[in-house]
């Protein structure tokens, strides 16, 4: 203003105008600066909000979604369960990822199921082939026995491979035994499934048996351990297997004379057979399935596997079978029931020698005689179907449940007593149903 | 269809594990009717089939009977018996051959009988 006053009258107007314009510009600049400042602040706040939301998405929402998917929920279920992010883009990210993960899980599950199914079929085939081979070994002469044994061995190894795949895919193992299997058979069964079985030496005086439902798995685990022992020792070395019965269970030690294990390999092996860590499929390699299989079986039946250096120079593997899987073998009967001896007859009491047991012409019936004066009724046995066989193919029980001929007395008291034991061992109580047929 | 035994009667061990991979006995004149007699008692830690053979053969038993007793093929039983023979725990009796050769009549005498028969 004072510049305007000091200027000459002629210049006063332009100076005043210039001054006013300048002042107005300054004011505008200041105004815009303040406005800008507010905008920047608002933008910063918005960015911070977005960042927080993004963090929430990355740290909470996505892991939660992945976890639910892993637990088996479908993508749609996950969307309804977890809080969706407010931001539309975040939601799109979440939806895309969830769908992809869900598809991945479904594919994995389908692949596992397909593998398990295929393994089951191969198992069934192998089991039926082994039974057929055994039958042929009985029928054919010495000339072909060697070849049959070779085929038998290859089939047993193929069956073990199928078992391994079944175990890793979470399917059930090969077969269930309906009786306890003695330790000697367990060890020989395990031995028979590996390539270099002739190098395995068994030192066992154990008379224990393994319960039927776990026998197959124990055999499989032992086979894998024996296979490792024979593979990682020189072909000239023998692998020794020792059995010890302790109050904590049965301990099987497998010792080889190989090079031993390096600390790193030992650590990996310990993790693989650990009963606390779950199977990690990503750590499987195509060629080293053995210990992973042993680990799966160990977790299932609470077996304990330890590695230690062997006095023979290689590795010693100790497998402890817990007491609940150990039992005593069923006592052997003087005349075990076989296919050639179809009629099983029994007397409830030895006193009734005159009544005697009946050998029915139908062949497949089981007769229980309670007393000499009491009538008898043959009980029809149910058809038995074995794995890999259709029911139509399985041996049918005889259609004629009643014997046509009057019972023939048998005078052999020893045979009678044996028959009694056989019948009671098959779950026949002495007071089971009697019937209306004359004795 | 092939006839199979009952599922219950099966055992998990395969025949080649019983014989250690051998499919025929070492050259030995064991035949179906050779009588086997045990010379020793079973010891702990023995293969269960060997124990069964030793128990069964307390009385002289033919190879074919052993095979039916153990429910094993005859050729496998021969291998198992030849193991025990090698260890000296059983002995084999060939009832016919030595006595038969000793008591075989003189060929000249047989010829006389033949001529006599022709003349009848």
């Amino acid at each position: 203003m004072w510049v305007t006053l000091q200027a000459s009258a002629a210049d006063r107007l332009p100076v005043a105008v210039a001054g006013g314009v300048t002042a107005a510009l300054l004011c505008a600049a200041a105004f815009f600066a303040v406005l800008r400042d507010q905008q920047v602040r608002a933008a910063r706040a918005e960015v911070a909000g977005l960042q927080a939301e993004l963090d929430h998405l990355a740290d909470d929402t996505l892991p939660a979604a992945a976890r639910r998917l892993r637990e088996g929920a479908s993508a749609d279920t996950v969307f309804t369960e977890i809080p969706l992010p407010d931001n539309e883009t975040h939601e799109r990210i979440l939806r895309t990822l969830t769908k992809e993960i869900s598809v991945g899980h479904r594919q994995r599950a389908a692949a596992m199921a397909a593998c398990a199914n295929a393994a089951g079929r191969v198992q069934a085939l192998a089991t039926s082939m082994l039974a057929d081979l055994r039958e042929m070994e009985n029928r054919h002469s010495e000339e072909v026995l060697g070849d049959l044994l070779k085929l038998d061995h290859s089939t047993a190894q193929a069956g073990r491979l199928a078992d391994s795949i079944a175990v890793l895919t979470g399917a059930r193992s090969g077969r269930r035994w309906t009786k306890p299997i003695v330790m000697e058979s367990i060890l020989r069964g395990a031995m028979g499934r590996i390539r270099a079985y002739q190098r395995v030496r068994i030192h066992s005086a154990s008379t224990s048996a393994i319960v039927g439902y776990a026998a197959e798995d124990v055999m499989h685990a032992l086979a894998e351990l024996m296979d490792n022992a024979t593979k990682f020792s020189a072909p000239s070395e023998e692998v020794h297997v020792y059995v010890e019965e302790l109050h904590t269970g049965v301990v099987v030690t497998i010792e080889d004379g190989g090079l031993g294990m390096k600390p790193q390999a030992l650590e990996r092996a310990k993790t693989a057979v650990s009963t606390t860590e779950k199977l990690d499929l990503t750590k499987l390699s195509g060629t080293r399935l053995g210990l992973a299989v042993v680990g799966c079986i160990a977790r299932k039946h609470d077996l304990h596997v330890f590695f230690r250096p062997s006095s023979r120079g290689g590795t010693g593997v100790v497998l402890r079978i817990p007491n609940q899987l150990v039992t005593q073998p069923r006592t052997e009967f003087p005349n075990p029931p076989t296919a050639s001896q179809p009629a099983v007859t029994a007397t409830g009491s030895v006193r009734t020698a005159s009544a005697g047991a009946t050998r029915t012409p139908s062949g497949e019936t089981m007769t229980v005689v309670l007393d000499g004066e009491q009538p008898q009724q043959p009980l029809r046995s149910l058809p038995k179907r074995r794995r890999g066989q259709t029911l139509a193919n399985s041996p049918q029980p005889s259609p004629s449940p009643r014997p046509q001929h009057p019972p023939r007395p048998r005078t052999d008291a020893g045979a009678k007593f044996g028959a009694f034991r056989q019948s009671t061992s098959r779950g026949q109580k002495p007071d089971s149903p009697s019937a209306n047929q004359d004795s | 269809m092939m006839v199979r035994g009952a599922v219950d009667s099966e055992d998990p061990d395969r025949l080649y594990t019983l014989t250690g991979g051998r499919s025929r006995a070492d050259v030995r004149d064991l035949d179906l009717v050779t009588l086997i007699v045990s010379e020793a008692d079973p010891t702990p830690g023995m293969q269960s089939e060997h124990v069964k053979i030793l128990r069964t053969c307390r009385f002289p038993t033919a190879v074919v009977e052993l095979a039916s007793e153990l429910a094993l093929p005859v050729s496998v039983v021969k291998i198992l018996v030849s193991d025990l023979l090698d260890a000296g725990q059983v002995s084999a009796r060939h009832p016919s051959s030595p006595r038969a050769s000793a008591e075989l009549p003189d060929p000249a005498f047989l010829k006389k009988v033949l001529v006599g028969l022709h003349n009848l």
Side-chain angles (χ1 to χ4, degrees):
Chain A
M1 286 295 281
W2 63 271
V3 174
T4 316
L5 291 176
Q6 282 203 347
S8 61
D11 296 335
R12 197 167 289 166
L13 185 65
V15 169
V17 168
V21 168
T22 310
L25 279 176
L26 275 172
C27 282
F31 173 73
F32 277 118
V34 168
L35 196 69
R36 190 84 193 148
D37 190 42
Q38 279 176 351
Q39 277 179 350
V40 165
R41 248 184 243 153
R44 278 211 183 119
E46 197 178 333
V47 165
L50 278 176
Q51 183 69 42
E53 266 183 50
L54 205 56
D55 282 346
H56 181 66
L57 179 72
D59 294 339
D60 302 325
T61 317
L62 275 177
R67 195 171 54 243
R68 285 294 294 138
L69 287 172
R70 209 178 309 128
E71 286 165 7
S74 74
D76 291 333
T77 318
V78 171
F79 286 138
T80 56
E81 280 179 4
I82 58 171
L84 292 177
D86 302 330
N87 189 306
E88 197 199 329
T89 321
H90 289 180
E91 194 183 324
R92 282 212 306 276
I93 293 174
L94 181 65
R95 280 187 188 277
T96 314
L97 277 178
T98 310
K99 271 187 187 137
E100 279 303 314
I101 297 173
S102 154
V103 168
H105 275 300
R106 280 212 306 273
Q107 279 172 345
R108 178 179 159 278
M112 289 284 256
C115 274
N117 194 334
R121 289 186 193 186
V122 179
Q123 280 176 328
L125 263 181
T127 309
S128 95
M129 269 174 78
L130 285 176
D132 287 348
L133 279 166
R134 181 61 205 263
E135 202 61 42
M136 286 186 219
E137 283 158 12
N138 280 338
R139 269 190 296 128
H140 293 296
S141 66
E142 253 179 354
E143 278 70 43
V144 280
L145 183 66
D147 297 338
L148 285 176
L149 290 184
K150 252 183 229 161
L151 283 178
D152 197 329
H153 186 204
S154 312
T155 312
Q157 289 179 75
R160 190 188 110 216
L161 201 57
D163 277 354
S164 292
I165 298 170
V167 166
L168 290 178
T169 49
R172 45 174 275 172
S173 63
R175 59 173 294 177
R176 293 284 181 275
W177 298 96
T178 48
K179 58 180 180 183
I181 306 289
V182 288
M183 211 53 215
E184 187 191 30
S185 288
I186 293 273
L187 293 171
R188 284 203 301 219
M191 206 173 113
R193 295 167 194 207
I194 67 169
R195 177 182 285 274
Y197 69 94
Q198 279 158 307
R199 285 166 51 207
V200 179
R201 294 279 169 275
I202 291 176
H203 312 271
S204 159
S206 168
T207 52
S208 307
I210 303 295
V211 290
Y213 67 87
E216 184 70 21
D217 281 340
V218 170
M219 254 186 275
H220 190 191
L222 281 171
E224 295 295 344
L225 293 175
M226 285 182 194
D227 193 39
N228 277 354
T230 51
K231 266 189 191 155
F232 293 102
S233 58
S236 55
E237 295 285 340
E238 288 182 345
V239 170
H240 292 262
V241 180
Y242 304 92
V243 180
E244 213 180 338
E245 287 176 28
L246 304 178
H247 69 281
T248 47
V250 172
V251 172
V252 183
T253 312
I254 300 167
E255 300 210 348
D256 65 56
L259 295 170
M261 288 167 104
K262 295 201 177 80
Q264 207 184 350
L266 193 64
E267 210 49 52
R268 263 209 310 273
K270 275 181 185 164
T271 318
V273 299
S274 141
T275 43
T276 48
E277 291 187 36
K278 286 186 78 178
L279 171 68
D280 186 0
L281 283 175
T282 54
K283 286 189 182 155
L284 281 185
S285 78
T287 49
R288 304 274 169 82
L289 297 176
L291 287 177
V293 172
V294 174
C296 283
I297 297 172
R299 279 184 283 278
K300 186 171 163 195
H301 290 298
D302 199 25
L303 309 176
H304 291 269
V305 185
F306 309 94
F307 296 90
R308 59 169 174 72
S310 161
S311 52
R312 303 173 50 79
T315 310
V317 188
V318 181
L319 176 83
R320 195 176 77 218
I321 304 163
N323 262 331
Q324 66 261 26
L325 301 184
V326 179
T327 174
Q328 286 305 311
R330 283 184 198 162
T331 46
E332 287 178 21
F333 306 116
N335 294 309
T338 56
S340 61
Q341 196 186 4
V344 178
T345 54
T347 49
S349 91
V350 188
R351 287 183 284 114
T352 63
S354 60
T358 58
R359 181 175 286 271
T360 59
S362 54
E364 290 287 335
T365 57
M366 179 185 286
T367 312
V368 177
V369 180
L370 279 181
D371 202 297
E373 276 65 55
Q374 282 195 348
Q376 351 166 326
Q377 181 191 40
L379 304 171
R380 288 187 64 179
S381 58
L382 291 170
K384 269 187 187 166
R385 184 185 72 88
R386 51 181 301 131
R387 272 174 74 82
Q389 192 185 40
T390 57
L391 186 62
N393 283 340
S394 58
Q396 292 290 328
S398 168
S400 63
R402 290 182 178 202
Q404 299 299 315
H405 305 293
R408 215 173 335 130
R410 286 176 58 188
T411 47
D412 186 359
K416 219 171 278 168
F417 190 59
F420 169 62
R421 291 177 67 194
Q422 280 172 14
S423 73
T424 50
S425 79
R426 291 191 168 198
Q428 292 292 320
K429 288 177 188 162
D431 55 347
S432 51
S434 57
N436 35 16
Q437 195 190 333
D438 288 339
S439 58
Chain B
M1 201 195 83
M2 213 171 285
V3 179
R4 296 193 190 115
V7 182
D8 278 13
S9 68
E10 280 177 30
D11 271 321
D13 32 19
R14 316 300 308 168
L15 290 182
Y16 52 88
T17 56
L18 265 62
T19 63
R22 290 164 298 165
S23 60
R24 57 178 67 224
D26 311 332
V27 188
R28 211 178 275 280
D29 42 355
L30 283 175
D31 59 22
L32 287 182
V33 292
T34 308
L35 290 175
I36 309 294
V37 194
S38 44
E39 302 281 340
D41 280 328
T43 50
M46 248 182 162
Q47 204 179 329
S48 62
E49 286 76 22
H50 284 162
V51 172
K52 273 186 203 156
I53 292 176
L54 287 183
R55 290 222 175 106
T56 315
C57 292
R58 286 194 181 132
F59 300 102
T61 312
V63 170
V64 67
E65 282 179 57
L66 275 178
S68 93
E69 187 76 24
L70 297 174
L72 290 174
V74 174
S75 31
V76 172
V77 173
K78 279 187 194 168
I79 298 169
L80 293 171
V81 168
S82 76
D83 284 347
L84 288 170
L85 278 172
D86 285 339
Q89 284 167 321
V90 295
S91 59
R93 283 191 202 160
H94 305 278
S96 53
S97 45
R99 205 162 2 107
S101 63
E103 290 178 1
L104 218 61
D106 185 29
F109 176 72
L110 285 177
K111 262 182 197 165
K112 273 185 195 166
V113 173
L114 187 64
V115 170
L117 284 172
H118 276 305
N119 290 343
L120 279 177

